[in-house]
Every structure is written in structure tokens, then in C-alpha cells.
Amino acid sequence: MIENTEHITRAILIAADIGEFNSERSMAELRELARTAGVEVCAEMIQNRPTYDTATCIGAGKLEEAADIVKKLDIDLAIFDHELTANQTRNIEAVLDIRVIDRTTLILDIFAQRALSKEGRLQVELAQQRYRLPRLAGRGIEMSRLGGGVGTRGPGETKLETDKRHIRKRIEILEEELRELEKRRALHRARRKKDNVLVGAIVGYTNVGKSTLLNALADAEVLAEDKLFATLDITSRSLELPDGRSLMLVDTVGFISRLPHHLVEAFKSTLEEAANSDIIINIIDISSDDAEEQAKVTRELLSELGCDGIPQINVLNKCDKLENDNIRNSSDTVKISAKQKKGFDDLLQCIADNLPETSVRAKFLIPYDKTSLINPLRNDGKVFSEEYLPEGTLIDALVDKKILYTVEQYKM
């Protein structure tokens, strides 16, 4: 963990700008990530370069400047806005004489702090072990010492080889445990499909208000903080739509720009809730200057997860923060304020309008000699009211389209 109860970690943020992405925006996000991890940011440095320096990422001259800042401000951690190799980390630490981590390590540290469920913890550890494995090489002379054969390693086997073997074994164990959990999740999904339970996946950039929305809509009591990755674990709650259908709302882990591929892989079983949903509810912080870029990142990750073809709606959250609100709702876009609970009626109607039509709500007058038709309506649909009239039973019901033909002739 980065955070220490006895000592607040003081950090310098460092980036090399080679034109791959918006460095200023990425640095602002790194600053927010550091804050989320409990780190105090004391200095920032961006070095414009044509390419990354293979030895130190930012170059020897700039690294010496960073070393002066580190000493002057009594900094004890350097965070790079890039993935560093083991050799780069070692070279940078030799000059700065402090601990050095990269963007991915920082995100993994936050994940480790935030994961509460068994699956969440397994996914985080798997990502950590996968990230560690290729970075063991080059860590220094201590990794190449030969060991004896007292149980753990044979004569001539280096500590590096032993550590790699242990990590690979641990990765295999973690992957097997996650496969077992995924089998259970698949069974739950199959049961939901069989029971005609509609699922809506809440997705979006981290810290756009997904948990706040779930709390406001369904009293889910999910942790909602003004921090990145406040929640990692899946939460699901049932919700009734204006047309009478029930929807299972599922909250998913937040996205972030340049989310390392192996992190997406590690959390794929969690994120697959989106790929298996009936509708995707994409939350966008409309008050953010980066709203368009964040929405783009979310769309790209959803496409990578195989979500193309699933109905999606855009929910423009935090509209209460807009000075000039000239945005209008459309067929697949609705503005809300989750914090102030505004726009929820429009949101629920938008969800209902965009969900696949799997059932129909109507009134049916079932003759008394056809009473046997009523039980399937109760079992496979939802009955809102029943009234006994001289001609038969008047039922207001939500009927699955698969059995609608059995009662369609009695529709009022």
C-alpha cells in the first residue's frame, strides 16, 4: 500500500510527452489517482521528447533536475505517467534515490485498497502478479544469487527463476479460482434469462456518479466518494420501470483512459456483465471539460468487450453544475442530477423505451371457462390487478411475448 497512517507520502509526478496523448489531461488524471491513493503531490514535471528514453524514460538531464527537486522538497516517491520497464525503474531509482512506481502500479494499489469481495481481491492480485512477472528481470544482483537445495530450489537455480516459478504458479491458482467464480456467475445469468429478468449495466468513466445514481434509484447503499475507483465490486439492485417491467441494475468498475490491457483482462468477468446485459446505461459527467473524451474511452472499451449491438443510452449526469444548460433530451440521451435526484422520471422512461420489447402490458378479459390461461400470466409475467366481472376475470398484466398468443384474443 502507498498510504501510511504514520506518514503521508510526498510525491513528484513525472511524464514524457512524445505526442501520443494529451499529457496535460493525463497528468491531471494522474494527480487525481495519487490523491485517491492518499498521496500528497508536491511537484510535477513534463518533458517534451521525440521518443521515450530507453534507460530513464525522460532522459538523464531531466532526471537530474528531478533529483534536485526531490532533495529540495523532501519527496519520497516518484510516480511516472507511463509503464516503466524493470531496467528503467532501477536506473531512475539509482539517480533519484527514492521509490519509483508507474501509472499502472498506482492504479493497482488503488484497486487493492478498494476491492472488498472475494472476486474483486482475486482479480486485483491476478493483475498484480501478471504485471510483476516480466518486471522481475533487471531488479538487481539480489535476483541472480544462486540458492541451495533446501526444499525450495535446486542447486544452480537463481532467486529470479524461483520467484518467477512461484508467480506463475500463483497466477495459475488465481485463474482457476476466478474460472470457478465465473461458472457461478454464468449460472446466475442463465437463471436470470430463464426467469425473463431484464438486466441494465451501469457503465462509465470512473467518478462520474454511477454509485450515486444506483443509490438514488434503488437505495443500494453503495460507497459513493469523490475519488477514482471508489467501488470495484459488482452491486445489483432491482428497479421497476414505468411500463411495469422489472430491471436488474448492475454497477460495474469505472473506466479510465489508457487502462492497461491486462487490467481489462483481469476484470473481464466483472465487465462481462455489460456484454451480457439487455441495455447499457452509459453515465457521462456532463460538467467535466473532458466529458467527450471520457465518453469516447467508454465506447472503445465497451466495443472491446463485445458490447456492439446492445441498446445503449447516454445519461448526462451532474447537469446541476452547468451554468448554461441548453441540452435537450433525445430518444437515447437524457440529462439528470443523481445527487439532487432530478430527471429520474425521464431516465426510467428512456430506459423502458430503449429496452428490447420482451413483454406487453395490457388488460385481458378471460372467460371463466378459460381460467387455466391465468396461471401462466401469473407465473411468467406480472399481474397488477384482477377484477371478477359477470363475463369473466379482468386482468391488468405484463405478459411475456412468448405466451401472448394464448390470451391475445381476449385483449381489451
Side-chain angles (χ1 to χ4, degrees), residues 17 97-98 150 152 162 174 186 247 372:
D17 185 358
D97 196 28
I98 58 171
V150 189
T152 56
T162 306
L174 292 168
L247 180 74
S372 61

Side-chain angles (χ1 to χ4, degrees), residues 20-83:
E20 274 186 317
F21 48 83
N22 187 317
S23 290
E24 294 289 343
R25 183 181 293 156
S26 186
M27 183 64 87
E29 194 166 80
L30 187 67
R31 190 185 312 125
E32 188 64 22
L33 285 167
R35 183 181 77 86
T36 298
V39 172
E40 180 186 350
V41 176
C42 300
E44 297 178 14
M45 176 183 288
I46 298 179
Q47 166 73 340
N48 293 315
R49 294 182 54 86
T51 59
Y52 297 119
D53 183 78
T54 55
T56 62
C57 186
I58 60 171
K62 203 66 177 178
L63 196 58
E64 289 294 342
E65 282 184 39
D68 292 337
I69 295 172
V70 166
K71 289 177 184 176
K72 187 176 180 180
L73 299 180
D74 192 26
I75 288 171
D76 42 28
L77 177 68
I79 306 174
F80 276 69
D81 196 26
H82 319 277
E83 284 197 2

Side-chain angles (χ1 to χ4, degrees), residues 3 27-28 32-33 51 73 90 107 121 159 191 214 240 242 248 267 270-271 289 303-304 306 314 318 326 366 401 407:
E3 196 170 359
M27 183 64 87
E32 188 64 22
L33 285 167
T51 59
L73 299 180
R90 183 189 61 200
I107 293 173
R121 291 194 297 268
K159 187 176 186 302
R191 193 175 303 149
L214 189 61
E240 186 163 307
M248 183 70 72
F267 278 82
T270 305
L271 294 169
D289 294 335
S303 181
E304 184 181 334
N314 299 310
K318 306 186 184 181
N326 54 4
I366 310 294
K401 291 183 78 173
V407 292

Side-chain angles (χ1 to χ4, degrees), residues 48 52 168 175 207 236 278:
N48 293 315
Y52 297 119
R168 288 193 187 101
E175 287 175 337
N207 206 30
S236 58
D278 297 285

Side-chain angles (χ1 to χ4, degrees), residues 200-237:
I202 301 178
V203 304
Y205 214 74
T206 184
N207 206 30
V208 295
K210 298 188 301 300
S211 297
T212 302
L213 176 61
L214 189 61
N215 287 339
L217 281 173
D219 298 320
E221 296 183 0
V222 180
L223 175 66
E225 286 187 286
D226 184 23
K227 288 185 176 181
L228 304 186
F229 303 114
T231 52
L232 288 179
D233 302 309
I234 285 182
T235 304
S236 58
R237 292 292 184 274

